Amino acid sequence: MFLDERIVTLFKRNAHHTLTYWSVFFSFGLCIAFLGPTILDLQCQTNSTLSQITWVFFAQQFCLLIGSSVGGIFKRTLLTALAALFFSALVISVIFAIIPLCNNVLVLAIAMAVSGLAMGLIDTIANIQLVTIYQKDSAIFLQALHFFIGFGALVSPLIADPFLSETGCGNHTGNETEVIHHFRSMLRNSPIVEHSIPLSNLSHGVEKEESSVHYAFWIMALINLPVPIAVLYLMYREQLIPCCPSGTPRLLDKDELAMESQQGAEGPAVEQNEHEAGVTGHGSIFSCCQNDNLRELPLSFFMIHILGGMVLFMTDGIVGAYAGFVYTYAVAPPMSLPHKTAGYLASIFWAAITAGRLLSIPLSYHFQPVKLLIFNLAGAIVTVLLLLIFYTSSIFLFVGTCLCGLFLSSIFPCMLAYTEDILDYQGCATSVLVTSAGMGEMVMQVLVGSIIQTEGSYSFLLCGMIIACIGFILFIGLLLFHRMHRNYLTGTSKKSAMVEEPATEQNGEVKTEQIDNEENIQESPN
C-alpha cells in the first residue's frame, strides 16, 4: 500500500485543518510570483522610473520578513491562528483588487508591503500549525504544503500572461526600452514566457499602448477569494465564531472529553503546563528568546537553530538568485541565447520546483528528512558544478536548470521537519527557519545581482557554487551539533533516572519502618 493505515487515519482525522492550510499556501504562491512578469506594466501605470519601481520588490520582501518573524505570536491559540490566516488571505485578495488603482509608485509600494506582511504571517503560521498537528509525521504533509506554493507560483503568471503589454508605455527610446526589457527579465522570478519587445515599434511618435493587465489582477483576486472563505468555514466548524455557533463538536473538545477520565485530579496541572509550553515555544523569534529556561539549555540547542537557519539562508538564497538571474546569464556571452528562448528557463526552474515538491511527498514517507537533505544538497552542488564545466552548452543549461529546481525544491520542508524533530516540536525552530529563509532570498538576490553587474555573467554560476558549498558545510556542522544534543539528552535522562532510583528506595525504607512500628505497637500490651 502507498501509505500505511496510521498515516491515512491521521490525515482523515485532521483533513479539514490540513486542506485549509494547504489552500492558504496557494494564496502565498499566487501572490509571490505575479510581480515579476507585470513589472513593466506597473511601471507604465505608475509613471515611474526603474529605480523607483524596484522599491516595490524591496517593500514586499522586507515586510514578508517582518511577517515571518512575528507570525508565531498568533500561534498562542487556535482562534488567533485561524483569525490571522483569514485576514491575511483576505488582504491578498483585496491587494489584487486595488493594484490597478495604484497610480503612484509610493501607493503601490505600500500595497505590496501590506501583502508581504500577510504572506509572512501565512508562511509561519501554516508551517507551525502543521508541525503541531503531525509532529514526527509532519515531513510528508510539509512537502505537500510547499507544493502549493509552487502551484500558486505557476498559476499566477499564466493568468497575467494574456494581458501583458508587448510594447510597454510606448514613450521610451530604443535604448531605454532595451534596458527595461533586460531589467524586467532579470527580476523575473516566476514561470512566464519571455515577451520580446520589438524596438522598431518604440519610436517617439508611437502612441502609448493601452494596458489591460488590470483584468489579470481582478481575476487573481476572484481566484483567491475562496481561500479566506475556507478559513472562515473552518473557524465556524471549530466553534470559534461567537455569533455563529456550530452543532459539530470541536476537535479539541473531543480530545478533552476522551482524556478527561484519564487525567483525574492531575488534569488542570497538565493542561496548565501544556499551555505554558505552547506559549513559550510556539511564539515569534522574540518570544522564543524570552524563555526563562534558556540559561539552562546547552550550546547545541542554540547552534541547531542557528545552523539550520543558515543552511536555509543559503539554499533559499540560491532559489531567489537563480530564478532572478538565470535569464541574464543565458542571454549574455558565451551562451548568447535568443531572448525568447532564454525566457523559458525561469518557467522550467519553477516547474521543476513544483514537480520536486510533489515527488517529495512519497519520498518523505519512505526516507528520513536527514537523508533527503544530504541527497538534495549534494545534488545541487553537483548540478551547479556541471553547469560550470559545460558553461557553453545551451542544452545542458536547460537540463541543469531542471535538475537544480528538483534538488532545491524540498530542502526547506525537510529542514523544518528535521530540526523540529531534534528539538521535540517546540515551534521556535519554525519561526527561525522561516525568517532565515526569507532573509536569505532577499539578501542573495541583491548580492548576486551586484556581483554579476561588476564581474560578468559567468560569476552567476560561480556564486551559486560557492553558496551551495557553504550551505553543505553548515549542514555538516548541524549534524555534529545534533549528535552533541542527542548525547546531552541521553545524559540528562540518565541523571534523572539515578535521582529517582534512590528516592524510590528511600520511600521503600520509610514504608518498611512504618510497617515495623505498627507491628510492634500491635504486639505490645495495653
Side-chain angles (χ1 to χ4, degrees):
M1 191 174 179
F2 182 71
L3 294 175
D4 62 20
E5 286 296 328
R6 184 179 61 84
I7 297 294
V8 174
T9 302
L10 194 61
F11 172 73
K12 289 181 178 179
R13 188 184 306 166
N14 302 282
H16 196 175
H17 285 255
T18 305
L19 293 174
T20 302
Y21 300 142
W22 287 351
S23 67
V24 173
F25 249 47
F26 173 78
S27 290
F28 184 98
L30 197 68
C31 194
I32 202 173
F34 81 91
L35 194 55
T38 60
I39 191 68
L40 184 61
D41 296 84
L42 292 176
Q43 182 197 349
C44 297
Q45 176 183 304
T46 56
N47 293 320
S48 58
T49 63
L50 280 177
S51 59
Q52 291 173 338
I53 202 69
T54 54
W55 285 101
V56 175
F57 285 92
F58 178 81
Q60 185 188 49
Q61 290 292 332
F62 181 73
C63 289
L64 191 154
L65 182 63
I66 294 176
S68 301
S69 303
V70 304
I73 296 175
F74 298 95
K75 172 58 186 68
R76 294 177 182 270
T77 63
L78 183 61
L79 174 61
T80 56
L82 292 180
L85 289 178
F86 168 72
F87 285 109
S88 297
L90 186 62
V91 161
I92 290 178
S93 286
V94 173
I95 293 299
F96 276 135
I98 67 174
I99 281 177
L101 307 178
C102 299
N103 295 321
N104 183 278
V105 68
L106 179 60
V107 178
L108 180 62
I110 294 174
M112 296 311 303
V114 174
S115 70
L117 187 64
M119 292 160 61
L121 293 176
I122 288 173
D123 197 6
T124 299
I125 294 173
N127 277 293
I128 289 180
Q129 289 292 92
L130 274 187
V131 170
T132 304
I133 291 174
Y134 293 104
Q135 297 198 1
K136 290 187 179 296
D137 299 304
S138 60
I140 182 173
F141 298 100
L142 286 173
Q143 296 287 358
L145 179 71
H146 287 266
F147 161 77
F148 280 92
I149 290 183
F151 182 59
L154 282 173
V155 171
S156 180
L158 291 177
I159 296 173
D161 183 47
F163 302 99
L164 295 179
S165 172
E166 292 289 339
T167 59
C169 302
N171 56 358
H172 304 283
T173 64
N175 292 333
E176 289 174 338
T177 306
E178 182 66 19
V179 172
I180 293 173
H181 169 68
H182 175 77
F183 186 82
R184 172 182 177 179
S185 304
M186 182 180 67
L187 289 178
R188 178 178 292 105
N189 59 352
S190 58
I192 189 68
V193 177
E194 176 66 23
H195 291 269
S196 58
I197 305 177
L199 300 180
S200 59
N201 295 340
L202 294 176
S203 61
H204 290 285
V206 178
E207 294 184 359
K208 178 179 178 180
E209 179 184 349
E210 189 69 25
S211 174
S212 58
V213 74
H214 53 277
Y215 293 115
F217 291 116
W218 291 338
I219 291 173
M220 285 187 281
L222 291 176
I223 291 177
N224 186 70
L225 194 58
V227 176
I229 296 176
V231 179
L232 189 64
Y233 180 65
L234 179 60
M235 296 175 65
Y236 169 76
R237 286 285 305 272
E238 292 295 310
Q239 298 183 0
L240 297 176
I241 304 178
C243 60
C244 302
S246 172
T248 305
R250 291 172 52 191
L251 293 176
L252 183 60
D253 296 337
K254 294 177 182 178
D255 294 338
E256 289 175 350
L257 290 173
M259 297 175 62
E260 189 175 15
S261 59
Q262 301 176 5
Q263 289 179 346
E266 297 179 357
V270 173
E271 289 179 3
Q272 183 178 0
N273 291 336
E274 289 179 354
H275 175 71
E276 292 176 356
V279 170
T280 57
H282 295 290
S284 65
I285 292 179
F286 309 105
S287 63
C288 291
C289 295
Q290 294 173 357
N291 194 335
D292 296 333
N293 298 324
L294 289 180
R295 296 180 180 179
E296 302 175 1
L297 296 173
L299 176 64
S300 58
F301 176 85
F302 302 100
M303 292 306 298
I304 288 171
H305 284 85
I306 294 172
L307 292 175
M310 289 303 297
V311 172
L312 289 185
F313 182 91
M314 298 298 172
T315 55
D316 269 50
I318 295 175
V319 173
Y322 199 94
F325 299 107
V326 65
Y327 173 87
T328 305
Y329 169 76
V331 297
M335 196 67 64
S336 300
L337 290 178
H339 286 214
K340 193 171 185 64
T341 303
Y344 286 98
L345 287 168
S347 303
I348 292 173
F349 182 70
W350 276 104
I353 288 180
T354 305
R357 286 170 176 169
L358 183 62
L359 182 63
S360 298
I361 296 175
L363 291 178
S364 299
Y365 173 71
H366 294 288
F367 300 98
Q368 294 179 351
V370 63
K371 294 181 179 179
L372 292 177
L373 283 170
I374 295 173
F375 177 77
N376 288 331
L377 287 170
I381 292 175
V382 172
T383 300
V384 180
L385 179 61
L386 291 176
L387 284 170
L388 278 169
I389 296 173
F390 301 103
Y391 67 97
T392 58
S393 174
S394 59
I395 295 177
F396 190 78
L397 178 60
F398 282 86
V399 175
T401 298
C402 182
L403 291 176
C404 195
L406 288 173
F407 286 122
L408 292 172
S409 61
S410 61
I411 291 179
F412 182 88
C414 285
M415 180 63 72
L416 193 62
Y418 175 58
T419 51
E420 285 287 9
D421 190 18
I422 297 173
L423 302 171
D424 199 21
Y425 308 97
Q426 295 298 311
C428 283
T430 300
S431 298
V432 172
L433 296 184
V434 169
T435 304
S436 301
M439 188 180 299
E441 187 171 351
M442 180 177 65
V443 172
M444 288 302 175
Q445 281 183 336
V446 177
L447 180 63
V448 174
S450 61
I451 293 175
I452 293 174
Q453 192 170 12
T454 56
E455 302 297 332
S457 62
Y458 187 77
S459 60
F460 165 68
L461 293 178
L462 191 60
C463 288
M465 185 67 187
I466 295 173
I467 295 170
C469 290
I470 293 175
F472 190 80
I473 293 172
L474 292 171
F475 179 71
I476 297 299
L478 176 62
L479 294 178
L480 295 177
F481 278 100
H482 176 204
R483 185 173 182 178
M484 292 174 55
H485 193 68
R486 186 171 51 194
N487 293 336
Y488 165 79
L489 295 177
T490 303
T492 304
S493 61
K494 288 182 179 179
K495 289 180 181 179
S496 301
M498 293 174 64
V499 171
E500 291 176 358
E501 187 175 350
T504 304
E505 293 178 356
Q506 185 177 0
N507 292 335
E509 292 176 359
V510 172
K511 289 181 179 180
T512 304
E513 276 184 22
Q514 291 177 351
I515 292 173
D516 293 340
N517 291 334
E518 290 176 359
E519 291 178 352
N520 292 334
I521 292 173
Q522 291 176 359
E523 291 176 357
S524 63
N526 294 330

